[in-house]
Amino acid sequence: MRTSQLFLNTLKEAPSEAELISHKLMVRAGLIKKLGSGLYTWMPLGLRVLRKIETIVRDEMNKAGAQEMLMPTIQPAELWQESGRWAVFGPQMLKIKDRHDRDFCYGPTHEEVITDIARSELRSYKQLPQNWYQIQAKFRDEIRPRFGVMRAREFVMKDSYSFDADFAGLEVAYGKMYTAYSNVCTRLGLKFRAVAADTGAIGGSGSHEFQVLADAGEDLLAYNPDSDYAANVELAPAFAPETPRAAPAEQMRDVDTPKQTTCEAVAQLLGIGIDRTVKLIALVGGEGQFIVALLRGDHSLNEVKLGKVAGVGEFRFATEEEIRARFNCPPGFLGPVGIASDITVIADLTVNAMSDFVVGANKPKFHLAGVNFGRDLPEPTVVADIRNVVVGDKAPDGKGTLDICRGIEVGHIFQLRTKYSAALNATYVAEDGSQKHFEMGCYGIGVSRIVAAAIEQNHDERGIIFSAAMAPFEVAVVAVGYHRSEAVKAAADALYNALIAAGVDALLDDRNERPGSMFADMELLGIPHRVTIGDKGLAEGAVEYVARAGGEMQKVGVADAAAFVRQRLAA
Amino acid sequence: MRTSQLFLNTLKEAPSEAELISHKLMVRAGLIKKLGSGLYTWMPLGLRVLRKIETIVRDEMNKAGAQEMLMPTIQPAELWQESGRWAVFGPQMLKIKDRHDRDFCYGPTHEEVITDIARSELRSYKQLPQNWYQIQAKFRDEIRPRFGVMRAREFVMKDSYSFDADFAGLEVAYGKMYTAYSNVCTRLGLKFRAVAADTGAIGGSGSHEFQVLADAGEDLLAYNPDSDYAANVELAPAFAPETPRAAPAEQMRDVDTPKQTTCEAVAQLLGIGIDRTVKLIALVGGEGQFIVALLRGDHSLNEVKLGKVAGVGEFRFATEEEIRARFNCPPGFLGPVGIASDITVIADLTVNAMSDFVVGANKPKFHLAGVNFGRDLPEPTVVADIRNVVVGDKAPDGKGTLDICRGIEVGHIFQLRTKYSAALNATYVAEDGSQKHFEMGCYGIGVSRIVAAAIEQNHDERGIIFSAAMAPFEVAVVAVGYHRSEAVKAAADALYNALIAAGVDALLDDRNERPGSMFADMELLGIPHRVTIGDKGLAEGAVEYVARAGGEMQKVGVADAAAFVRQRLAA
């Protein structure tokens, strides 16, 4: 396409309400335009990006044997009443009454509708498995929509649903979707991780979130940069140190810490590393019993892990009053030495391997140094992994060490099992003649959210950096002086036509603008490859190539330019 | 695709509620599935058809220089209040309140939203012209949705809107859309006509409906089978007979017609053609004055044309009481001879050319024969075209004679002029520096309705007959005995693979079903070309080709089959 035929309207300033960089850049580049709160129009340039993502999603879904259909956005309340979700979905569901005062909603998701289709269309095990998907507008009435298309009310989603005869079949379907989602993210050029999610009460082995790694993400992830391992920090295991606990080398002694109520402050005062300190966290268990958790000074408590330790169950942090009453000591100076023997002491795996450590003295303004288990205090009641992993911890897959980052969830795959097929009594006739409920999975990709997530991950001070797979155009041919130089016009047209003929999605910038303004637009838009054609270069028989993602400008012979670009696109 | 990988679920019986043949066939073929009143899921096969239409629509829109975007389906009430349509659109608009009790609607159309975008994005004449379109779900809350996707509540529409600096620009944009819509219908293989529509109060030279010719249509059209002329019957002009009125040859005489109150009955009694009779229709004008219209016995009054006759304006049919009071005669025997001279007599052009005609005698149980204007009664007060055209009338374009048929409206193009740009104060800076309102056009295609319209036009007792352009598959390769004959399997796979490699959208029916059942499915689905491969044919080195639209079965050499099919597709 030629810029002269394209509706292009870039802005110098982002709207003041835009907080996220992706939101700012998408508005400035003219990809989206706000219609109302959480409602965005995809302008021609933005829609090109959205469609490229859709095409890749569709291709991977089809390869996985899924079949596309299109359900209505407007759904009758009766199905949601049957599943029980009409009452419990909450105000995110946009409820609607039609002219006959009947209840409907704008589908926030389609489990009910697809299960209704399956129960009438799929009658025999011979028709299984099936995986049906659609790419469609969804609506979720967010209370305070922000962040542009990252959390819009109306958004584009690919949702799919698998129907299998048994759990083994579901696991196969799930595995295919895991692969398809991984392929989508890879083809889009995204740094991502498939993160095992806590399946909570529903059970089943499977739920994974596909997280695009970016600072603006809501989720904190532990991942291995050298493998595909990733988990929510809450779920990543920490291991005992490889070096076992050393023998005591120091005597336990009081240390005067008049104002030092944190491990950092104590370590600083003593001139030691914080990894020589231990902190005590006082908790109250479900039956009112006191529990103390011991963690290394620089570690943080992982409440999910602690809750899973045998005998703990539900717990809460002790109040200051409770602490003073039980320990006769203010928080900040608590320690495990000399505490009542009926208090359960749970030591983290790391603490259990420590010797000669520093800990609160259980009296105001004092800590103890040179403390050792088995000598100065009993061995811990329980030793367990109760901390959050930190950067540099050993990766659970044994292939290196963990890094920590934030992630933006763009996909979620989930083993529903028979939750909806049982609720809607969706059954098939099994091979043995019995009626069985379908084993179902559901799989969602936030197609429109991917655009924002990709930009959060890939941008610089000049704008968006798109991968070729999702860029509005793969290459920009910037013709400097198109309207005044016959040579520039001829060379630019020739290169553009050669690229189009080769199937390259090229944009010829044929505007009568200053070069700086044209470059700035192409950079803001994130077009990954740029060829500049001007009289000066042509005098030497050359054009200039530069990659949006960085790297030196290169001179390329005019005749070689099309082949050069194609080579870069294939790289 | 292989049938074994396709969700195919054909039905022997259509749902009892389905009235239209297209609705019945779409459900039986498994193209659509009802979710609720006026709400349909496009099943995998149906979605293939829908997408093929979308692709052609998109291609023609892009060729016309239009640019695709995607607006939200949910629209804020404020814009509709600004245009004044929030109050007047009526219950077809699905009105919605969000969680904050703010008013929205599910877009039935997008004039307001697009005008809002234009007024902030288009500021200068240099940015004009623009034509923006989208392909998207719309919702119109029909009071009694029927006829499947022909008149669904949620449906897929391509809507576009053009913005021009002046009326000349609008006419260019309009012309491009006229061409694009014609191309879409032609490429889809539809018999259609672009019909000039009455633009009513809005004015502008332009509004055309694109009508697919089919018996189930709601609109009655007059068209020229030998040209592209077409008009709603109400708007097609009728001309005066080429032969002028002959001199009187008979004397006026009473005819005894004791029970004959219609022209048909009188003509039959007298043994003459009905085209020798004249009927009188008694009307009351806006000021209470009596008007009589004279039409040939076999013609019907065109109220639109009569209303445009000078001095008539609004009118109504006289009641029987008014007729008896004014004429002292019951309806059925009325005639123009001897009526009061203050009654306006409007004769149709055809009647004006008649002599020696038969007409009511204005007394019960009698007609008059041999009646002539200027001798037995005065010349008509007014002579005008006030009848509906009939089959065989001269076509207004002079290229033959008219035929009459029904049409299904699948597209509508309309010159909005400044209706919305004025209402929303959407202006641009013109070349002379003044602020001007955009000249707008709007253009809609009912993408989902086209599927139903095409089927209404093209079907037989065995099912749908799709054109290759919109068929779910272009060709079906039916393998008889795929699971028991190595030869059949090898030949079928080879042909299928050759077709796919050549870019043909082929379906390989590899099911283990009776041949009759496979043939019936492929015919019901309307796949335009079918190749049957079986052991018997292979023994002779041949496969069988048959076209869905009719024609003899042909034997084709196994090795030539792929080339043969491609040739048929190119034909």
Side-chain angles (χ1 to χ4, degrees):
Chain A
M1 187 172 256
R2 288 161 182 268
T3 319
S4 53
Q5 292 159 357
L6 173 71
F7 181 70
L8 177 65
N9 200 7
T10 56
L11 301 174
K12 289 264 183 296
E13 298 292 332
S16 57
E17 64 170 18
E19 298 174 37
L20 287 188
I21 188 71
S22 58
H23 186 187
K24 291 178 187 173
L25 290 175
M26 288 181 75
V27 173
R28 284 190 51 212
L31 303 185
I32 56 171
K33 185 166 183 67
K34 184 176 175 176
L35 172 63
S37 174
L39 300 173
Y40 292 89
T41 293
W42 289 85
M43 298 295 286
L45 274 164
L47 189 62
R48 292 181 75 91
V49 177
L50 199 67
R51 292 275 191 252
K52 290 192 178 186
I53 299 170
E54 283 181 15
T55 300
I56 288 175
V57 168
R58 182 173 286 123
D59 187 50
E60 290 295 333
M61 291 301 295
N62 292 346
K63 275 189 198 161
Q67 294 189 63
E68 188 172 4
M69 50 169 64
L70 184 62
M71 292 173 262
T73 59
I74 299 297
Q75 307 180 0
E78 287 77 10
L79 287 175
W80 291 80
Q81 286 155 351
E82 209 176 334
S83 76
R85 291 210 289 181
W86 184 255
V88 303
F89 204 93
Q92 272 211 341
M93 182 193 272
L94 190 67
K95 293 184 177 177
I96 302 171
K97 281 189 187 292
D98 76 357
R99 67 191 294 162
H100 302 296
D101 216 35
R102 283 186 299 240
D103 287 313
F104 291 84
C105 69
Y106 194 123
T109 179
H110 276 70
E111 281 84 3
E112 280 79 359
V113 174
I114 202 84
T115 307
D116 179 56
I117 293 173
R119 70 180 166 182
S120 83
E121 292 285 332
L122 303 176
R123 290 172 300 269
S124 160
Y125 70 96
K126 293 179 190 164
Q127 292 173 288
L128 301 179
Q130 292 289 342
N131 187 334
W132 292 334
Y133 77 98
Q134 60 177 353
I135 299 175
Q136 188 202 37
K138 296 271 186 283
F139 200 98
R140 292 185 191 165
D141 200 359
E142 302 285 346
I143 191 161
R144 207 169 298 109
R146 289 187 304 169
F147 307 146
V149 298
M150 186 77 88
R151 194 172 285 281
R153 297 202 286 176
E154 184 170 334
F155 58 98
V156 179
M157 184 171 169
K158 188 288 297 176
D159 48 326
S160 52
Y161 308 88
S162 64
F163 296 87
D164 279 277
D166 51 30
F167 183 61
L170 168 57
E171 291 208 301
V172 171
Y174 187 86
K176 285 183 181 173
M177 287 298 99
Y178 185 102
T179 303
Y181 278 39
S182 301
N183 291 350
V184 165
C185 292
T186 302
R187 287 176 63 180
L188 291 173
L190 297 170
K191 290 183 283 292
F192 75 99
R193 284 295 184 285
V195 178
D198 199 356
T199 51
I202 294 194
S205 71
S207 173
H208 283 85
E209 294 167 356
F210 285 76
Q211 300 266 3
V212 168
L213 308 186
D215 293 339
E218 292 185 338
D219 297 309
L220 202 59
L221 308 179
Y223 75 105
N224 182 345
D226 302 316
S227 75
D228 64 359
Y229 174 81
N232 271 299
V233 158
E234 291 180 348
L235 297 178
F239 301 97
E242 292 187 0
T243 316
R245 190 197 295 169
E250 303 174 14
Q251 287 305 312
M252 183 168 79
R253 58 196 183 278
D254 271 1
V255 180
D256 197 0
T257 54
K259 295 175 180 172
Q260 285 70 25
T261 60
T262 65
C263 290
E264 289 84 350
V266 172
Q268 195 174 14
L269 178 75
L270 302 182
I272 59 171
I274 192 172
D275 61 353
R276 298 282 309 283
T277 67
V278 168
K279 63 186 166 196
L280 181 151
I281 298 169
L283 306 157
V284 180
E287 292 160 22
Q289 79 280 23
F290 250 72
I291 299 167
V292 305
L294 299 182
L295 290 157
R296 202 172 75 183
D298 56 335
H299 285 163
S300 62
L301 179 68
N302 183 312
E303 298 175 38
V304 173
K305 291 178 179 177
L306 181 64
K308 288 178 180 167
V309 170
V312 175
E314 291 194 10
F315 65 89
R316 60 176 175 82
F317 291 93
T319 64
E320 184 167 343
E321 290 66 39
E322 286 170 329
I323 289 170
R324 286 179 183 272
R326 194 72 165 88
F327 293 90
N328 195 26
C329 171
F333 304 99
L334 297 182
V337 178
I339 60 170
S341 61
D342 62 335
I343 296 179
T344 301
V345 176
I346 303 176
D348 181 59
L349 293 169
T350 308
V351 170
N352 188 53
M354 291 170 75
S355 57
D356 299 326
F357 51 83
V358 175
V359 72
N362 253 347
K363 55 183 178 188
K365 306 191 177 178
F366 281 95
H367 278 70
L368 295 170
V371 179
N372 286 277
F373 286 114
R375 186 190 73 181
D376 307 321
L377 75 168
E379 292 292 339
T381 324
V382 179
V383 174
D385 170 20
I386 58 169
R387 71 171 172 93
N388 289 318
V389 292
V390 294
V391 174
D393 273 344
K394 200 171 72 176
D397 62 358
K399 293 177 184 162
T401 59
L402 290 179
D403 210 340
I404 306 275
C405 67
R406 293 199 162 268
I408 299 168
E409 184 189 331
V410 297
H412 195 166
I413 60 177
F414 203 95
Q415 296 185 354
L416 292 171
R417 306 294 311 267
T418 58
K419 177 176 162 71
Y420 293 94
S421 54
L424 275 75
N425 197 27
T427 61
Y428 67 96
V429 177
E431 206 160 355
D432 64 7
S434 65
Q435 293 278 345
K436 288 191 174 159
H437 291 121
F438 299 108
E439 284 278 353
M440 290 174 57
C442 69
Y443 318 93
I445 288 185
V447 176
S448 45
R449 174 180 268 202
I450 282 180
V451 183
I455 295 172
E456 288 296 333
Q457 187 179 80
N458 304 288
H459 64 268
D460 62 15
E461 68 290 351
R462 291 172 293 160
I464 301 166
I465 305 175
F466 275 126
S467 66
M470 61 191 286
F473 296 95
E474 291 175 307
V475 55
V477 177
V478 177
V480 178
Y482 188 88
H483 295 271
R484 53 179 163 71
S485 164
E486 277 299 321
V488 167
K489 182 176 187 305
D493 285 346
L495 175 58
Y496 172 72
N497 290 331
L499 290 170
I500 294 293
V504 175
D505 191 12
L507 177 68
L508 172 57
D509 198 347
D510 57 356
R511 289 177 294 171
N512 195 9
E513 299 273 348
R514 288 179 305 104
S517 162
M518 292 159 88
F519 295 157
D521 276 350
M522 296 304 118
E523 285 172 348
L524 176 59
L525 286 175
I527 300 178
H529 305 282
R530 190 180 84 209
V531 177
T532 306
I533 300 181
D535 275 324
K536 200 172 156 193
L538 289 179
E540 304 169 28
V543 300
E544 290 176 2
Y545 168 86
V546 70
R548 176 66 183 88
E552 290 298 296
M553 186 272 283
Q554 289 179 256
K555 292 199 176 185
V556 182
V558 177
D560 306 327
F564 182 86
V565 168
R566 291 177 65 188
Q567 201 175 21
R568 293 301 306 240
L569 283 168
Chain B
M1 186 171 256
R2 289 163 181 267
T3 319
S4 54
Q5 291 157 358
L6 173 71
F7 182 70
L8 178 64
N9 200 7
T10 57
L11 301 174
K12 288 263 184 296
E13 298 292 333
S16 58
E17 64 171 17
E19 298 174 38
L20 286 189
I21 188 73
S22 59
H23 186 187
K24 290 179 189 176
L25 289 175
M26 289 181 75
V27 173
R28 283 189 53 210
L31 302 186
I32 56 170
K33 185 166 181 68
K34 184 176 177 178
L35 171 64
S37 174
L39 301 172
Y40 292 89
T41 293
W42 288 85
M43 298 294 286
L45 274 164
L47 188 62
R48 293 180 75 92
V49 177
L50 199 65
R51 292 277 191 249
K52 290 192 177 185
I53 298 170
E54 283 181 16
T55 300
I56 288 175
V57 169
R58 182 173 285 122
D59 187 52
E60 290 295 333
M61 290 302 294
N62 292 347
K63 274 189 200 163
Q67 294 189 63
E68 188 173 4
M69 50 169 62
L70 184 63
M71 292 173 260
T73 59
I74 300 297
Q75 309 180 359
E78 288 76 9
L79 286 175
W80 291 79
Q81 285 154 352
E82 210 177 332
S83 75
R85 289 207 292 180
W86 184 255
V88 303
F89 203 93
Q92 272 210 342
M93 182 192 274
L94 190 67
K95 293 185 176 176
I96 301 170
K97 281 188 187 292
D98 76 356
R99 65 192 293 162
H100 302 297
D101 217 35
R102 284 187 299 241
D103 286 312
F104 292 84
C105 70
Y106 195 122
T109 179
H110 277 69
E111 280 85 3
E112 281 79 0
V113 174
I114 202 86
T115 307
D116 179 56
I117 293 173
R119 68 180 167 183
S120 82
E121 294 284 334
L122 303 176
R123 290 172 301 269
S124 159
Y125 71 94
K126 292 178 190 166
Q127 291 173 289
L128 300 178
Q130 293 289 342
N131 187 334
W132 291 334
Y133 76 98
Q134 61 177 353
I135 300 175
Q136 188 201 39
K138 295 270 185 288
F139 200 98
R140 293 185 189 165
D141 200 359
E142 302 284 347
I143 190 161
R144 205 170 299 111
R146 288 187 304 171
F147 306 146
V149 298
M150 186 77 86
R151 193 171 284 281
R153 297 202 286 175
E154 184 172 334
F155 57 98
V156 179
M157 184 169 167
K158 189 286 298 176
D159 49 325
S160 53
Y161 308 88
S162 64
F163 296 87
D164 279 277
D166 51 29
F167 183 61
L170 169 57
E171 291 208 301
V172 171
Y174 188 86
K176 285 183 181 173
M177 287 298 100
Y178 185 101
T179 303
Y181 278 39
S182 299
N183 291 350
V184 166
C185 291
T186 301
R187 286 175 65 180
L188 290 172
L190 296 171
K191 291 184 281 291
F192 75 99
R193 283 294 184 286
V195 178
D198 198 355
T199 52
I202 294 194
S205 72
S207 172
H208 283 86
E209 294 167 357
F210 285 76
Q211 298 266 5
V212 168
L213 309 187
D215 293 338
E218 291 185 338
D219 296 310
L220 202 59
L221 309 179
Y223 74 104
N224 182 345
D226 302 318
S227 76
D228 64 2
Y229 174 80
N232 270 301
V233 160
E234 290 180 348
L235 297 178
F239 301 98
E242 293 186 1
T243 316
R245 189 196 296 169
E250 303 175 14
Q251 288 303 312
M252 184 168 80
R253 61 197 181 275
D254 271 359
V255 181
D256 197 2
T257 53
K259 296 174 180 175
Q260 285 72 23
T261 58
T262 65
C263 288
E264 289 83 350
V266 171
Q268 194 174 16
L269 178 75
L270 301 182
I272 58 172
I274 191 171
D275 60 355
R276 298 282 310 283
T277 68
V278 168
K279 62 186 166 195
L280 181 152
I281 298 170
L283 306 158
V284 180
E287 294 160 21
Q289 81 278 24
F290 251 71
I291 298 167
V292 305
L294 299 182
L295 290 158
R296 203 172 75 181
D298 56 336
H299 286 162
S300 61
L301 179 68
N302 183 312
E303 298 176 38
V304 174
K305 291 178 180 178
L306 180 62
K308 290 177 179 167
V309 170
V312 175
E314 291 194 10
F315 66 87
R316 60 176 173 81
F317 290 92
T319 64
E320 185 166 342
E321 289 67 39
E322 287 171 329
I323 289 170
R324 285 180 184 271
R326 194 73 165 89
F327 292 90
N328 195 26
C329 171
F333 303 98
L334 296 182
V337 179
I339 61 171
S341 60
D342 62 335
I343 296 179
T344 302
V345 176
I346 302 176
D348 181 60
L349 292 169
T350 307
V351 170
N352 188 52
M354 290 170 74
S355 57
D356 299 324
F357 51 84
V358 176
V359 71
N362 254 346
K363 57 184 177 185
K365 307 190 176 181
F366 281 95
H367 278 71
L368 293 170
V371 179
N372 286 276
F373 285 115
R375 185 191 74 180
D376 307 321
L377 75 169
E379 290 292 337
T381 324
V382 179
V383 174
D385 170 20
I386 57 168
R387 70 170 173 95
N388 289 318
V389 293
V390 294
V391 174
D393 273 345
K394 201 171 69 176
D397 62 358
K399 292 175 184 164
T401 58
L402 292 178
D403 210 340
I404 305 277
C405 67
R406 293 200 161 267
I408 300 168
E409 184 188 330
V410 297
H412 195 166
I413 61 178
F414 202 95
Q415 295 186 353
L416 291 170
R417 307 293 311 265
T418 58
K419 176 176 162 73
Y420 293 94
S421 55
L424 275 74
N425 197 28
T427 62
Y428 69 97
V429 177
E431 205 160 357
D432 62 8
S434 65
Q435 293 278 346
K436 288 191 174 159
H437 291 121
F438 299 108
E439 285 278 352
M440 290 173 56
C442 69
Y443 317 93
I445 288 184
V447 176
S448 45
R449 174 180 269 200
I450 283 180
V451 184
I455 295 172
E456 287 296 334
Q457 187 180 79
N458 303 288
H459 64 267
D460 63 15
E461 68 289 352
R462 289 171 293 160
I464 301 165
I465 304 174
F466 276 127
S467 66
M470 62 190 288
F473 297 95
E474 293 175 306
V475 54
V477 177
V478 177
V480 177
Y482 188 87
H483 296 270
R484 55 178 162 71
S485 163
E486 278 299 321
V488 167
K489 181 174 187 306
D493 285 345
L495 175 58
Y496 173 73
N497 291 332
L499 290 170
I500 294 292
V504 176
D505 191 10
L507 176 68
L508 172 57
D509 198 347
D510 58 355
R511 289 177 294 172
N512 195 8
E513 298 274 348
R514 288 179 305 106
S517 162
M518 294 159 88
F519 295 156
D521 277 349
M522 296 304 117
E523 286 172 346
L524 175 60
L525 286 175
I527 300 177
H529 304 282
R530 190 180 83 208
V531 177
T532 305
I533 300 181
D535 276 324
K536 200 173 154 194
L538 290 179
E540 303 169 28
V543 300
E544 290 176 2
Y545 167 85
V546 70
R548 176 66 183 87
E552 288 299 298
M553 187 271 283
Q554 289 178 258
K555 292 200 179 186
V556 181
V558 177
D560 307 326
F564 182 86
V565 167
R566 291 177 64 189
Q567 200 175 21
R568 292 303 304 242
L569 282 167

